[in-house]
Amino acid sequence: MKWISSNWRLGWLLLAVTMYLLLAGYQLGLPGLHYDEAKEAGVNAMELLTGAPVTAFREATVTLFGTDLPLMVQDYIGALNVYLALPFLAVTGIGVPNLRFLSLFLGLLALLALERSVSEWLALIRHQTDPVPISLAGLFTVTLLAASPSFVFWQRQGIFVTNATLPATFAALWLALRWLRTGSPRSLWAAAFAAGLALYAKLLAVWVIGPFVLLVAGWWLWRRWGKGGSIRPTAIPLPPVTLPLLLGAALA
């Protein structure tokens, strides 16, 4: 029965993300390329693929193997989408729907990371151990978002609003919650790396990452010095915080 239940939930998740791909992928080339899509990914990616001189924002580049690599595309937006777009354009060619394959893929990752975030949170408060199953709450959340007209539309033109922040932010939430639950240093380091990617993609992610870091730190301090340990004290061991752990997170 457990096997049937887990596969039923996996089937629901696959149906939800398939619905998203069908809705967001329909006539992917319409409307035409937006100015910000070109500026935040398309032009620099095309220049790198064709060997043309790179028109870097404020001429800020890093030279690697004789190639100038742009650092930013705006004062508050990094060039992450530029580099993410390279394999998609290299495989499928340079064009509008080709560039938006990246947006579709990032939206898919965002939905999957969102489900993991919700399920990991439930596992934390329920004191569950690995593996963390797909939760009904996560399935409902993913299904509602996958069918949301606003989410579907902006994922099609996702580079316009730098949608690389979404999967990176949700991944940071998921992995940090996993660290709180398991105490795995690798989970915290991966969460910090995902948070860094989200901030590099667009500084706007600080409005989620910043408060969440404070919440995680507050939870840890509450368990360490407050009364948090009075609630099932042996259910979830307090994750150890060491100098190597913090240095690794800061580096990530």
Side-chain angles (χ1 to χ4, degrees):
M1 292 299 295
K2 184 177 181 181
W3 180 86
I4 295 176
S5 176
S6 62
N7 279 269
W8 174 75
R9 295 187 183 196
L10 178 60
W12 180 347
L13 179 62
L14 292 176
L15 285 175
V17 297
T18 300
M19 176 180 64
Y20 154 73
L21 292 173
L22 291 175
L23 291 173
Y26 179 68
Q27 294 185 336
L28 193 57
L30 299 178
L33 191 68
H34 191 278
Y35 169 82
D36 283 357
E37 287 182 286
K39 182 172 179 58
E40 294 181 19
V43 172
N44 282 164
M46 179 181 65
E47 291 169 342
L48 290 172
L49 287 174
T50 61
V54 175
T55 54
F57 180 69
R58 299 193 186 279
E59 300 182 354
T61 62
V62 171
T63 302
L64 184 64
F65 302 116
T67 301
D68 293 329
L69 302 176
L71 289 177
M72 307 288 289
V73 294
Q74 291 285 353
D75 286 321
Y76 53 92
I77 301 175
L80 181 60
N81 272 311
V82 173
Y83 302 114
L84 293 178
L86 289 177
F88 289 89
L89 297 182
V91 171
T92 66
I94 297 173
V96 177
N98 314 61
L99 180 61
R100 288 181 181 160
F101 286 144
L102 169 61
S103 299
L104 285 184
F105 180 69
L106 290 176
L108 175 63
L109 292 183
L111 292 173
L112 296 177
L114 176 60
E115 184 280 321
R116 286 291 82 194
S117 299
V118 174
S119 297
E120 189 68 49
W121 167 248
L122 292 176
L124 175 65
I125 63 177
R126 294 172 179 172
H127 313 290
Q128 293 177 347
T129 57
D130 285 332
V132 176
I134 299 174
S135 67
L136 287 177
L139 289 174
F140 277 114
T141 304
V142 168
T143 303
L144 290 172
L145 189 59
S148 168
S150 178
F151 179 77
V152 168
F153 177 80
W154 289 116
Q155 289 305 125
R156 289 170 55 87
Q157 285 186 290
I159 296 171
F160 175 35
V161 289
T162 320
N163 67 344
T165 57
L166 285 179
T169 299
F170 288 143
L173 301 183
W174 162 39
L175 292 164
L177 291 171
R178 179 172 176 77
W179 172 71
L180 291 178
R181 186 176 61 83
T182 66
S184 169
R186 288 179 294 180
S187 294
L188 183 62
W189 295 335
F193 181 73
L197 284 180
L199 292 170
Y200 178 57
K202 195 167 190 177
L203 192 58
L204 186 67
V206 72
W207 294 108
V208 176
I209 299 298
F212 183 68
V213 169
L214 295 178
L215 285 172
V216 170
W219 184 92
W220 191 90
L221 292 173
W222 178 63
R223 284 288 310 277
R224 176 65 177 83
W225 289 305
K227 297 181 179 180
S230 63
I231 303 176
R232 298 185 64 179
T234 61
I236 300 179
L238 186 67
V241 174
T242 62
L243 182 59
L245 178 73
L246 295 178
L247 290 177
L251 179 61

